Amino acid sequence: MCRAHLLEPAAAELLATELRQIVGDGNVLSDPALTASFGHDLTGRFNGRPALVVSPGDTAEVAAVVQACAAAQAPLVPQGGHSGMVGGGTPRDGEVVLSLRRLTAIEPVDRVAAQVTVGAGVTLEAFQRFLRPLDLEFLVDHGGRSAATLGGMAATNAGGSQAMRHGMMRDQVAGVEAVLADGSVLSRLRGLAKDNTGYDLTGLLVGSEGTLGVITRLRLRVAPLRPKRVTILAGVESLDGALAVLELLQSRVPSVQAVDFFEQAGLRRVREHLQLPAPFEREYPTYLVIECAGRTDPADELDGLLAVVADAVAADDPEGRRGLWRYREALNETVTSLGIPHKLDVSVPVASLPRFAREVRDVIAAVDSEAELIFYGHLGDGNAHVNVVGPAPDDLRIDEAVLELVASLDGSISAEHGVGLAKTQWLSLTRSAPEIRAMREIKAALDPRGVLNPGRLMP
Ligand code: MLT
Ligand code: ZN
């Protein structure tokens, strides 16, 4: 069977003509000056020159585009807000970008089911803005909200800071509509709470990183808005101390929904980058951002907390809370401002996080004693973001050493960013041979010609 392959210029021109007939002239880009921004990711690590960028306006157009690309054996890279970190939505030279950003419809809220059907191209921030006046909220949130699309977040099973309480995207997606590699449309948007009729295709498509189907619409769960919120920035003496705080929060504070951590070195870099004031009079080795949300004021639940942290500042108004989160959420852009980073999003059992933090330093220093480590993440999930600046982007010794350490601690080489192009070669560190074989067989069954996001996820 013929497999998808990179397009020669003449073939790309023919395909562009066909795609223009499907989506309209203005929605197919071939001029490199116009396609360039679809080819460079935020980290600067992944770059490609797409042959074409096509932006369909509805599911039928997506299906026709997929069929045309499959017939031309053109590799297709589904792309949402293009804010991923592992090259999953970034094209390589000659691939076709299928941008879902025009799919921005939001349907009326189904109040009884507490669900909403949305287009894949709606950004997380636009969805939050839509829900707030309706006294509703979406329970997945993260710092990339202005760019990240809900379709991309479902395709990558995004996590974020509140995952410790509400789970990841898979827990909030009640159903999907997706275009499969042959152009057929799989629709599971009824949002039935109970439907035991075979394989969980929604669960399979969520987190499949565009390799099994192109998600076009989603049925999302929503929750009553919890209007009372408190955010606390706390200084602690160590990551072990941070775990003691986490334990206390988990056992005594039902309203806690996020406990993120970062370190002194990261805080210094963020403050330099954004000219922010110091949060406390002295510096601490470890900082926590804790967030509680409830229908009633969570402040009472937090009484015992101040006794176990060295220093803390709290805010309960939106601006003050945003200001405290800024120290944590700006770490990503700060790291990128320092150079092209090695971004390793990993997880280990929560109790092993302090040990991982100690050993990862030694592992990195053994490979490159000059490398700068900026270490932060989501404490409640054992999810660490290991950011290393200094080593050349194509020098993978640090990636390998860190991921081997993760595997030795029974962790995962990707916690919430996905595998993309960045980590395929290490998948077998934390997924077994039978698991990888099963994944390959699923891919071969659903996309025998390898049209959808080839080379991503699977080694
Ligand atoms: C975060 O937690 O800030 C995001 O996952 C992105 C990052 O790795 O910095
Ligand atoms: Zn994160």
Side-chain angles (χ1 to χ4, degrees), residues 248-283:
L248 184 130
L249 289 163
Q250 295 279 41
S251 56
R252 295 215 212 130
V253 183
S255 63
V256 68
Q257 64 169 2
V259 185
D260 274 16
F261 72 94
F262 55 96
E263 298 185 322
Q264 195 176 69
L267 177 65
R268 285 187 191 160
R269 285 298 198 181
V270 165
R271 289 190 49 220
E272 274 164 26
H273 180 56
L274 295 177
Q275 305 296 310
L276 293 180
F280 303 117
E281 273 175 21
R282 58 156 281 212
E283 294 189 313

PDB file of all heavy atoms in Angstrom, residues 248-283:
ATOM      1  N   LEU A 248      -1.099  18.129  53.903  1.00  0.00           N
ATOM      2  CA  LEU A 248      -2.052  18.844  54.763  1.00  0.00           C
ATOM      3  C   LEU A 248      -3.239  19.366  53.946  1.00  0.00           C
ATOM      4  O   LEU A 248      -4.402  19.229  54.338  1.00  0.00           O
ATOM      5  CB  LEU A 248      -1.320  19.997  55.449  1.00  0.00           C
ATOM      6  CG  LEU A 248      -2.121  20.799  56.449  1.00  0.00           C
ATOM      7  CD1 LEU A 248      -1.318  20.915  57.749  1.00  0.00           C
ATOM      8  CD2 LEU A 248      -2.405  22.193  55.925  1.00  0.00           C
ATOM      9  N   LEU A 249      -2.923  19.932  52.787  1.00  0.00           N
ATOM     10  CA  LEU A 249      -3.993  20.469  51.940  1.00  0.00           C
ATOM     11  C   LEU A 249      -4.936  19.357  51.480  1.00  0.00           C
ATOM     12  O   LEU A 249      -6.159  19.510  51.498  1.00  0.00           O
ATOM     13  CB  LEU A 249      -3.393  21.176  50.723  1.00  0.00           C
ATOM     14  CG  LEU A 249      -2.683  22.507  51.008  1.00  0.00           C
ATOM     15  CD1 LEU A 249      -1.793  22.904  49.833  1.00  0.00           C
ATOM     16  CD2 LEU A 249      -3.697  23.611  51.281  1.00  0.00           C
ATOM     17  N   GLN A 250      -4.343  18.231  51.081  1.00  0.00           N
ATOM     18  CA  GLN A 250      -5.168  17.121  50.573  1.00  0.00           C
ATOM     19  C   GLN A 250      -6.082  16.578  51.660  1.00  0.00           C
ATOM     20  O   GLN A 250      -7.205  16.159  51.386  1.00  0.00           O
ATOM     21  CB  GLN A 250      -4.277  15.972  50.050  1.00  0.00           C
ATOM     22  CG  GLN A 250      -3.442  16.322  48.833  1.00  0.00           C
ATOM     23  CD  GLN A 250      -4.229  16.250  47.525  1.00  0.00           C
ATOM     24  OE1 GLN A 250      -5.373  16.677  47.488  1.00  0.00           O
ATOM     25  NE2 GLN A 250      -3.608  15.765  46.475  1.00  0.00           N
ATOM     26  N   SER A 251      -5.588  16.587  52.902  1.00  0.00           N
ATOM     27  CA  SER A 251      -6.408  15.963  53.946  1.00  0.00           C
ATOM     28  C   SER A 251      -7.384  16.940  54.586  1.00  0.00           C
ATOM     29  O   SER A 251      -8.418  16.546  55.087  1.00  0.00           O
ATOM     30  CB  SER A 251      -5.518  15.314  55.008  1.00  0.00           C
ATOM     31  OG  SER A 251      -4.640  16.291  55.531  1.00  0.00           O
ATOM     32  N   ARG A 252      -7.062  18.258  54.575  1.00  0.00           N
ATOM     33  CA  ARG A 252      -7.923  19.174  55.346  1.00  0.00           C
ATOM     34  C   ARG A 252      -8.607  20.265  54.541  1.00  0.00           C
ATOM     35  O   ARG A 252      -9.398  21.033  55.073  1.00  0.00           O
ATOM     36  CB  ARG A 252      -7.057  19.872  56.414  1.00  0.00           C
ATOM     37  CG  ARG A 252      -6.531  18.900  57.413  1.00  0.00           C
ATOM     38  CD  ARG A 252      -6.460  19.525  58.787  1.00  0.00           C
ATOM     39  NE  ARG A 252      -5.348  18.929  59.487  1.00  0.00           N
ATOM     40  CZ  ARG A 252      -4.406  19.603  60.120  1.00  0.00           C
ATOM     41  NH1 ARG A 252      -4.452  20.911  60.169  1.00  0.00           N
ATOM     42  NH2 ARG A 252      -3.424  18.977  60.716  1.00  0.00           N
ATOM     43  N   VAL A 253      -8.242  20.401  53.271  1.00  0.00           N
ATOM     44  CA  VAL A 253      -8.785  21.543  52.523  1.00  0.00           C
ATOM     45  C   VAL A 253      -9.495  21.045  51.254  1.00  0.00           C
ATOM     46  O   VAL A 253      -8.903  20.983  50.172  1.00  0.00           O
ATOM     47  CB  VAL A 253      -7.635  22.537  52.170  1.00  0.00           C
ATOM     48  CG1 VAL A 253      -8.187  23.768  51.459  1.00  0.00           C
ATOM     49  CG2 VAL A 253      -6.860  22.937  53.404  1.00  0.00           C
ATOM     50  N   PRO A 254     -10.759  20.692  51.371  1.00  0.00           N
ATOM     51  CA  PRO A 254     -11.468  20.130  50.206  1.00  0.00           C
ATOM     52  C   PRO A 254     -11.520  21.081  49.013  1.00  0.00           C
ATOM     53  O   PRO A 254     -11.651  20.630  47.877  1.00  0.00           O
ATOM     54  CB  PRO A 254     -12.892  19.873  50.732  1.00  0.00           C
ATOM     55  CG  PRO A 254     -12.823  19.986  52.207  1.00  0.00           C
ATOM     56  CD  PRO A 254     -11.598  20.749  52.586  1.00  0.00           C
ATOM     57  N   SER A 255     -11.406  22.379  49.257  1.00  0.00           N
ATOM     58  CA  SER A 255     -11.528  23.317  48.135  1.00  0.00           C
ATOM     59  C   SER A 255     -10.221  23.495  47.352  1.00  0.00           C
ATOM     60  O   SER A 255     -10.202  24.209  46.348  1.00  0.00           O
ATOM     61  CB  SER A 255     -11.985  24.688  48.645  1.00  0.00           C
ATOM     62  OG  SER A 255     -11.009  25.215  49.518  1.00  0.00           O
ATOM     63  N   VAL A 256      -9.144  22.842  47.777  1.00  0.00           N
ATOM     64  CA  VAL A 256      -7.879  23.051  47.048  1.00  0.00           C
ATOM     65  C   VAL A 256      -7.983  22.411  45.664  1.00  0.00           C
ATOM     66  O   VAL A 256      -8.471  21.300  45.504  1.00  0.00           O
ATOM     67  CB  VAL A 256      -6.665  22.487  47.834  1.00  0.00           C
ATOM     68  CG1 VAL A 256      -6.685  20.976  47.930  1.00  0.00           C
ATOM     69  CG2 VAL A 256      -5.358  22.970  47.200  1.00  0.00           C
ATOM     70  N   GLN A 257      -7.555  23.176  44.642  1.00  0.00           N
ATOM     71  CA  GLN A 257      -7.621  22.604  43.286  1.00  0.00           C
ATOM     72  C   GLN A 257      -6.302  22.713  42.529  1.00  0.00           C
ATOM     73  O   GLN A 257      -6.164  22.149  41.454  1.00  0.00           O
ATOM     74  CB  GLN A 257      -8.743  23.240  42.483  1.00  0.00           C
ATOM     75  CG  GLN A 257      -8.582  24.716  42.221  1.00  0.00           C
ATOM     76  CD  GLN A 257      -9.593  25.227  41.209  1.00  0.00           C
ATOM     77  OE1 GLN A 257     -10.431  24.477  40.728  1.00  0.00           O
ATOM     78  NE2 GLN A 257      -9.519  26.492  40.871  1.00  0.00           N
ATOM     79  N   ALA A 258      -5.324  23.433  43.090  1.00  0.00           N
ATOM     80  CA  ALA A 258      -4.027  23.516  42.419  1.00  0.00           C
ATOM     81  C   ALA A 258      -2.925  23.705  43.450  1.00  0.00           C
ATOM     82  O   ALA A 258      -3.084  24.485  44.389  1.00  0.00           O
ATOM     83  CB  ALA A 258      -4.010  24.691  41.434  1.00  0.00           C
ATOM     84  N   VAL A 259      -1.839  22.972  43.268  1.00  0.00           N
ATOM     85  CA  VAL A 259      -0.637  23.209  44.076  1.00  0.00           C
ATOM     86  C   VAL A 259       0.547  23.082  43.122  1.00  0.00           C
ATOM     87  O   VAL A 259       1.004  21.986  42.807  1.00  0.00           O
ATOM     88  CB  VAL A 259      -0.494  22.195  45.238  1.00  0.00           C
ATOM     89  CG1 VAL A 259       0.714  22.577  46.105  1.00  0.00           C
ATOM     90  CG2 VAL A 259      -1.751  22.150  46.095  1.00  0.00           C
ATOM     91  N   ASP A 260       1.001  24.208  42.614  1.00  0.00           N
ATOM     92  CA  ASP A 260       2.139  24.223  41.693  1.00  0.00           C
ATOM     93  C   ASP A 260       3.402  24.614  42.458  1.00  0.00           C
ATOM     94  O   ASP A 260       3.324  25.249  43.513  1.00  0.00           O
ATOM     95  CB  ASP A 260       1.896  25.245  40.572  1.00  0.00           C
ATOM     96  CG  ASP A 260       1.100  24.639  39.407  1.00  0.00           C
ATOM     97  OD1 ASP A 260       0.497  23.568  39.595  1.00  0.00           O
ATOM     98  OD2 ASP A 260       1.100  25.247  38.324  1.00  0.00           O
ATOM     99  N   PHE A 261       4.556  24.249  41.915  1.00  0.00           N
ATOM    100  CA  PHE A 261       5.811  24.627  42.582  1.00  0.00           C
ATOM    101  C   PHE A 261       6.786  25.224  41.586  1.00  0.00           C
ATOM    102  O   PHE A 261       6.697  24.972  40.384  1.00  0.00           O
ATOM    103  CB  PHE A 261       6.456  23.420  43.287  1.00  0.00           C
ATOM    104  CG  PHE A 261       7.058  22.430  42.325  1.00  0.00           C
ATOM    105  CD1 PHE A 261       8.404  22.494  41.968  1.00  0.00           C
ATOM    106  CD2 PHE A 261       6.268  21.436  41.739  1.00  0.00           C
ATOM    107  CE1 PHE A 261       8.962  21.592  41.071  1.00  0.00           C
ATOM    108  CE2 PHE A 261       6.812  20.528  40.834  1.00  0.00           C
ATOM    109  CZ  PHE A 261       8.153  20.607  40.499  1.00  0.00           C
ATOM    110  N   PHE A 262       7.703  26.033  42.097  1.00  0.00           N
ATOM    111  CA  PHE A 262       8.860  26.477  41.316  1.00  0.00           C
ATOM    112  C   PHE A 262       9.988  26.777  42.289  1.00  0.00           C
ATOM    113  O   PHE A 262       9.827  26.634  43.499  1.00  0.00           O
ATOM    114  CB  PHE A 262       8.527  27.666  40.402  1.00  0.00           C
ATOM    115  CG  PHE A 262       7.940  28.880  41.078  1.00  0.00           C
ATOM    116  CD1 PHE A 262       8.745  29.956  41.463  1.00  0.00           C
ATOM    117  CD2 PHE A 262       6.576  28.972  41.316  1.00  0.00           C
ATOM    118  CE1 PHE A 262       8.211  31.085  42.056  1.00  0.00           C
ATOM    119  CE2 PHE A 262       6.027  30.099  41.920  1.00  0.00           C
ATOM    120  CZ  PHE A 262       6.841  31.157  42.294  1.00  0.00           C
ATOM    121  N   GLU A 263      11.147  27.168  41.754  1.00  0.00           N
ATOM    122  CA  GLU A 263      12.327  27.298  42.611  1.00  0.00           C
ATOM    123  C   GLU A 263      12.910  28.702  42.517  1.00  0.00           C
ATOM    124  O   GLU A 263      12.588  29.477  41.616  1.00  0.00           O
ATOM    125  CB  GLU A 263      13.384  26.289  42.186  1.00  0.00           C
ATOM    126  CG  GLU A 263      12.922  24.862  42.339  1.00  0.00           C
ATOM    127  CD  GLU A 263      14.019  23.865  42.028  1.00  0.00           C
ATOM    128  OE1 GLU A 263      14.810  24.119  41.082  1.00  0.00           O
ATOM    129  OE2 GLU A 263      14.106  22.852  42.711  1.00  0.00           O
ATOM    130  N   GLN A 264      13.840  28.931  43.441  1.00  0.00           N
ATOM    131  CA  GLN A 264      14.492  30.238  43.509  1.00  0.00           C
ATOM    132  C   GLN A 264      15.082  30.676  42.151  1.00  0.00           C
ATOM    133  O   GLN A 264      14.893  31.809  41.721  1.00  0.00           O
ATOM    134  CB  GLN A 264      15.625  30.111  44.526  1.00  0.00           C
ATOM    135  CG  GLN A 264      16.205  31.383  45.011  1.00  0.00           C
ATOM    136  CD  GLN A 264      17.231  31.068  46.088  1.00  0.00           C
ATOM    137  OE1 GLN A 264      18.282  30.514  45.797  1.00  0.00           O
ATOM    138  NE2 GLN A 264      16.926  31.408  47.307  1.00  0.00           N
ATOM    139  N   ALA A 265      15.776  29.735  41.474  1.00  0.00           N
ATOM    140  CA  ALA A 265      16.434  30.107  40.209  1.00  0.00           C
ATOM    141  C   ALA A 265      15.397  30.550  39.176  1.00  0.00           C
ATOM    142  O   ALA A 265      15.611  31.530  38.442  1.00  0.00           O
ATOM    143  CB  ALA A 265      17.230  28.922  39.676  1.00  0.00           C
ATOM    144  N   GLY A 266      14.269  29.859  39.135  1.00  0.00           N
ATOM    145  CA  GLY A 266      13.219  30.215  38.185  1.00  0.00           C
ATOM    146  C   GLY A 266      12.619  31.565  38.526  1.00  0.00           C
ATOM    147  O   GLY A 266      12.356  32.397  37.647  1.00  0.00           O
ATOM    148  N   LEU A 267      12.401  31.797  39.825  1.00  0.00           N
ATOM    149  CA  LEU A 267      11.819  33.081  40.241  1.00  0.00           C
ATOM    150  C   LEU A 267      12.741  34.242  39.844  1.00  0.00           C
ATOM    151  O   LEU A 267      12.278  35.261  39.332  1.00  0.00           O
ATOM    152  CB  LEU A 267      11.583  33.099  41.755  1.00  0.00           C
ATOM    153  CG  LEU A 267      11.045  34.431  42.284  1.00  0.00           C
ATOM    154  CD1 LEU A 267       9.656  34.721  41.730  1.00  0.00           C
ATOM    155  CD2 LEU A 267      11.001  34.450  43.813  1.00  0.00           C
ATOM    156  N   ARG A 268      14.044  34.044  40.055  1.00  0.00           N
ATOM    157  CA  ARG A 268      14.979  35.125  39.672  1.00  0.00           C
ATOM    158  C   ARG A 268      14.858  35.442  38.186  1.00  0.00           C
ATOM    159  O   ARG A 268      14.826  36.599  37.788  1.00  0.00           O
ATOM    160  CB  ARG A 268      16.420  34.707  39.990  1.00  0.00           C
ATOM    161  CG  ARG A 268      16.723  34.770  41.450  1.00  0.00           C
ATOM    162  CD  ARG A 268      18.197  34.516  41.684  1.00  0.00           C
ATOM    163  NE  ARG A 268      18.417  34.326  43.104  1.00  0.00           N
ATOM    164  CZ  ARG A 268      19.475  33.734  43.621  1.00  0.00           C
ATOM    165  NH1 ARG A 268      20.432  33.264  42.842  1.00  0.00           N
ATOM    166  NH2 ARG A 268      19.595  33.627  44.908  1.00  0.00           N
ATOM    167  N   ARG A 269      14.807  34.384  37.389  1.00  0.00           N
ATOM    168  CA  ARG A 269      14.718  34.583  35.932  1.00  0.00           C
ATOM    169  C   ARG A 269      13.404  35.279  35.540  1.00  0.00           C
ATOM    170  O   ARG A 269      13.395  36.160  34.689  1.00  0.00           O
ATOM    171  CB  ARG A 269      14.838  33.240  35.205  1.00  0.00           C
ATOM    172  CG  ARG A 269      16.250  32.692  35.159  1.00  0.00           C
ATOM    173  CD  ARG A 269      17.167  33.620  34.419  1.00  0.00           C
ATOM    174  NE  ARG A 269      18.380  32.975  33.988  1.00  0.00           N
ATOM    175  CZ  ARG A 269      19.355  33.588  33.328  1.00  0.00           C
ATOM    176  NH1 ARG A 269      19.261  34.890  33.046  1.00  0.00           N
ATOM    177  NH2 ARG A 269      20.420  32.951  32.950  1.00  0.00           N
ATOM    178  N   VAL A 270      12.297  34.874  36.168  1.00  0.00           N
ATOM    179  CA  VAL A 270      11.005  35.503  35.844  1.00  0.00           C
ATOM    180  C   VAL A 270      11.039  36.973  36.236  1.00  0.00           C
ATOM    181  O   VAL A 270      10.579  37.856  35.484  1.00  0.00           O
ATOM    182  CB  VAL A 270       9.846  34.781  36.576  1.00  0.00           C
ATOM    183  CG1 VAL A 270       8.580  35.629  36.549  1.00  0.00           C
ATOM    184  CG2 VAL A 270       9.564  33.445  35.917  1.00  0.00           C
ATOM    185  N   ARG A 271      11.606  37.258  37.395  1.00  0.00           N
ATOM    186  CA  ARG A 271      11.633  38.653  37.860  1.00  0.00           C
ATOM    187  C   ARG A 271      12.471  39.517  36.918  1.00  0.00           C
ATOM    188  O   ARG A 271      12.089  40.630  36.570  1.00  0.00           O
ATOM    189  CB  ARG A 271      12.167  38.724  39.288  1.00  0.00           C
ATOM    190  CG  ARG A 271      11.161  38.155  40.298  1.00  0.00           C
ATOM    191  CD  ARG A 271      11.589  38.451  41.720  1.00  0.00           C
ATOM    192  NE  ARG A 271      11.919  39.844  41.860  1.00  0.00           N
ATOM    193  CZ  ARG A 271      12.958  40.310  42.573  1.00  0.00           C
ATOM    194  NH1 ARG A 271      13.751  39.486  43.210  1.00  0.00           N
ATOM    195  NH2 ARG A 271      13.181  41.601  42.637  1.00  0.00           N
ATOM    196  N   GLU A 272      13.613  38.954  36.466  1.00  0.00           N
ATOM    197  CA  GLU A 272      14.448  39.701  35.501  1.00  0.00           C
ATOM    198  C   GLU A 272      13.675  39.934  34.206  1.00  0.00           C
ATOM    199  O   GLU A 272      13.655  41.036  33.663  1.00  0.00           O
ATOM    200  CB  GLU A 272      15.679  38.858  35.113  1.00  0.00           C
ATOM    201  CG  GLU A 272      16.865  38.988  36.023  1.00  0.00           C
ATOM    202  CD  GLU A 272      17.841  37.816  35.760  1.00  0.00           C
ATOM    203  OE1 GLU A 272      17.853  37.249  34.629  1.00  0.00           O
ATOM    204  OE2 GLU A 272      18.545  37.475  36.706  1.00  0.00           O
ATOM    205  N   HIS A 273      13.031  38.882  33.725  1.00  0.00           N
ATOM    206  CA  HIS A 273      12.365  38.925  32.421  1.00  0.00           C
ATOM    207  C   HIS A 273      11.215  39.932  32.416  1.00  0.00           C
ATOM    208  O   HIS A 273      11.023  40.674  31.457  1.00  0.00           O
ATOM    209  CB  HIS A 273      11.857  37.522  32.081  1.00  0.00           C
ATOM    210  CG  HIS A 273      11.146  37.409  30.768  1.00  0.00           C
ATOM    211  ND1 HIS A 273      11.719  37.785  29.581  1.00  0.00           N
ATOM    212  CD2 HIS A 273       9.896  36.966  30.459  1.00  0.00           C
ATOM    213  CE1 HIS A 273      10.849  37.584  28.602  1.00  0.00           C
ATOM    214  NE2 HIS A 273       9.738  37.095  29.105  1.00  0.00           N
ATOM    215  N   LEU A 274      10.434  39.956  33.508  1.00  0.00           N
ATOM    216  CA  LEU A 274       9.225  40.790  33.530  1.00  0.00           C
ATOM    217  C   LEU A 274       9.336  41.995  34.445  1.00  0.00           C
ATOM    218  O   LEU A 274       8.357  42.732  34.629  1.00  0.00           O
ATOM    219  CB  LEU A 274       8.022  39.946  33.971  1.00  0.00           C
ATOM    220  CG  LEU A 274       7.603  38.815  33.046  1.00  0.00           C
ATOM    221  CD1 LEU A 274       6.464  38.034  33.651  1.00  0.00           C
ATOM    222  CD2 LEU A 274       7.198  39.337  31.672  1.00  0.00           C
ATOM    223  N   GLN A 275      10.528  42.160  35.035  1.00  0.00           N
ATOM    224  CA  GLN A 275      10.720  43.283  35.981  1.00  0.00           C
ATOM    225  C   GLN A 275       9.673  43.240  37.104  1.00  0.00           C
ATOM    226  O   GLN A 275       9.034  44.249  37.423  1.00  0.00           O
ATOM    227  CB  GLN A 275      10.610  44.644  35.257  1.00  0.00           C
ATOM    228  CG  GLN A 275      11.554  44.792  34.082  1.00  0.00           C
ATOM    229  CD  GLN A 275      13.012  44.749  34.538  1.00  0.00           C
ATOM    230  OE1 GLN A 275      13.397  45.449  35.464  1.00  0.00           O
ATOM    231  NE2 GLN A 275      13.804  43.895  33.933  1.00  0.00           N
ATOM    232  N   LEU A 276       9.519  42.079  37.698  1.00  0.00           N
ATOM    233  CA  LEU A 276       8.540  41.936  38.785  1.00  0.00           C
ATOM    234  C   LEU A 276       9.218  42.138  40.134  1.00  0.00           C
ATOM    235  O   LEU A 276      10.393  41.785  40.297  1.00  0.00           O
ATOM    236  CB  LEU A 276       7.911  40.536  38.757  1.00  0.00           C
ATOM    237  CG  LEU A 276       7.016  40.196  37.568  1.00  0.00           C
ATOM    238  CD1 LEU A 276       6.480  38.774  37.712  1.00  0.00           C
ATOM    239  CD2 LEU A 276       5.869  41.182  37.462  1.00  0.00           C
ATOM    240  N   PRO A 277       8.490  42.642  41.124  1.00  0.00           N
ATOM    241  CA  PRO A 277       9.075  42.802  42.457  1.00  0.00           C
ATOM    242  C   PRO A 277       9.245  41.447  43.157  1.00  0.00           C
ATOM    243  O   PRO A 277       8.574  40.484  42.794  1.00  0.00           O
ATOM    244  CB  PRO A 277       8.019  43.645  43.199  1.00  0.00           C
ATOM    245  CG  PRO A 277       6.740  43.352  42.492  1.00  0.00           C
ATOM    246  CD  PRO A 277       7.088  43.090  41.060  1.00  0.00           C
ATOM    247  N   ALA A 278      10.120  41.422  44.168  1.00  0.00           N
ATOM    248  CA  ALA A 278      10.278  40.189  44.953  1.00  0.00           C
ATOM    249  C   ALA A 278       8.996  39.968  45.760  1.00  0.00           C
ATOM    250  O   ALA A 278       8.464  40.914  46.336  1.00  0.00           O
ATOM    251  CB  ALA A 278      11.468  40.316  45.897  1.00  0.00           C
ATOM    252  N   PRO A 279       8.503  38.734  45.820  1.00  0.00           N
ATOM    253  CA  PRO A 279       7.257  38.516  46.575  1.00  0.00           C
ATOM    254  C   PRO A 279       7.465  38.572  48.091  1.00  0.00           C
ATOM    255  O   PRO A 279       6.546  38.896  48.829  1.00  0.00           O
ATOM    256  CB  PRO A 279       6.808  37.122  46.137  1.00  0.00           C
ATOM    257  CG  PRO A 279       8.027  36.454  45.602  1.00  0.00           C
ATOM    258  CD  PRO A 279       8.944  37.527  45.108  1.00  0.00           C
ATOM    259  N   PHE A 280       8.688  38.261  48.555  1.00  0.00           N
ATOM    260  CA  PHE A 280       8.961  38.242  50.001  1.00  0.00           C
ATOM    261  C   PHE A 280      10.269  38.978  50.277  1.00  0.00           C
ATOM    262  O   PHE A 280      11.081  39.173  49.376  1.00  0.00           O
ATOM    263  CB  PHE A 280       9.100  36.788  50.497  1.00  0.00           C
ATOM    264  CG  PHE A 280       7.880  35.942  50.205  1.00  0.00           C
ATOM    265  CD1 PHE A 280       7.966  34.832  49.365  1.00  0.00           C
ATOM    266  CD2 PHE A 280       6.651  36.248  50.783  1.00  0.00           C
ATOM    267  CE1 PHE A 280       6.850  34.057  49.091  1.00  0.00           C
ATOM    268  CE2 PHE A 280       5.527  35.478  50.518  1.00  0.00           C
ATOM    269  CZ  PHE A 280       5.629  34.388  49.658  1.00  0.00           C
ATOM    270  N   GLU A 281      10.498  39.289  51.566  1.00  0.00           N
ATOM    271  CA  GLU A 281      11.743  39.991  51.906  1.00  0.00           C
ATOM    272  C   GLU A 281      12.967  39.131  51.675  1.00  0.00           C
ATOM    273  O   GLU A 281      14.021  39.611  51.326  1.00  0.00           O
ATOM    274  CB  GLU A 281      11.688  40.436  53.373  1.00  0.00           C
ATOM    275  CG  GLU A 281      11.009  41.791  53.495  1.00  0.00           C
ATOM    276  CD  GLU A 281      10.814  42.223  54.918  1.00  0.00           C
ATOM    277  OE1 GLU A 281      11.525  41.716  55.816  1.00  0.00           O
ATOM    278  OE2 GLU A 281       9.918  43.061  55.124  1.00  0.00           O
ATOM    279  N   ARG A 282      12.841  37.838  51.928  1.00  0.00           N
ATOM    280  CA  ARG A 282      13.981  36.951  51.658  1.00  0.00           C
ATOM    281  C   ARG A 282      13.592  35.915  50.595  1.00  0.00           C
ATOM    282  O   ARG A 282      12.414  35.761  50.261  1.00  0.00           O
ATOM    283  CB  ARG A 282      14.459  36.260  52.936  1.00  0.00           C
ATOM    284  CG  ARG A 282      13.409  35.439  53.655  1.00  0.00           C
ATOM    285  CD  ARG A 282      14.036  34.361  54.526  1.00  0.00           C
ATOM    286  NE  ARG A 282      14.456  33.220  53.715  1.00  0.00           N
ATOM    287  CZ  ARG A 282      14.454  31.958  54.165  1.00  0.00           C
ATOM    288  NH1 ARG A 282      14.101  31.675  55.396  1.00  0.00           N
ATOM    289  NH2 ARG A 282      14.840  30.963  53.386  1.00  0.00           N
ATOM    290  N   GLU A 283      14.622  35.239  50.073  1.00  0.00           N
ATOM    291  CA  GLU A 283      14.348  34.214  49.054  1.00  0.00           C
ATOM    292  C   GLU A 283      14.169  32.846  49.719  1.00  0.00           C
ATOM    293  O   GLU A 283      14.677  32.624  50.823  1.00  0.00           O
ATOM    294  CB  GLU A 283      15.512  34.139  48.069  1.00  0.00           C
ATOM    295  CG  GLU A 283      15.657  35.396  47.240  1.00  0.00           C
ATOM    296  CD  GLU A 283      16.679  35.216  46.125  1.00  0.00           C
ATOM    297  OE1 GLU A 283      17.776  34.698  46.409  1.00  0.00           O
ATOM    298  OE2 GLU A 283      16.360  35.586  44.981  1.00  0.00           O
TER     299      GLU A 283
END
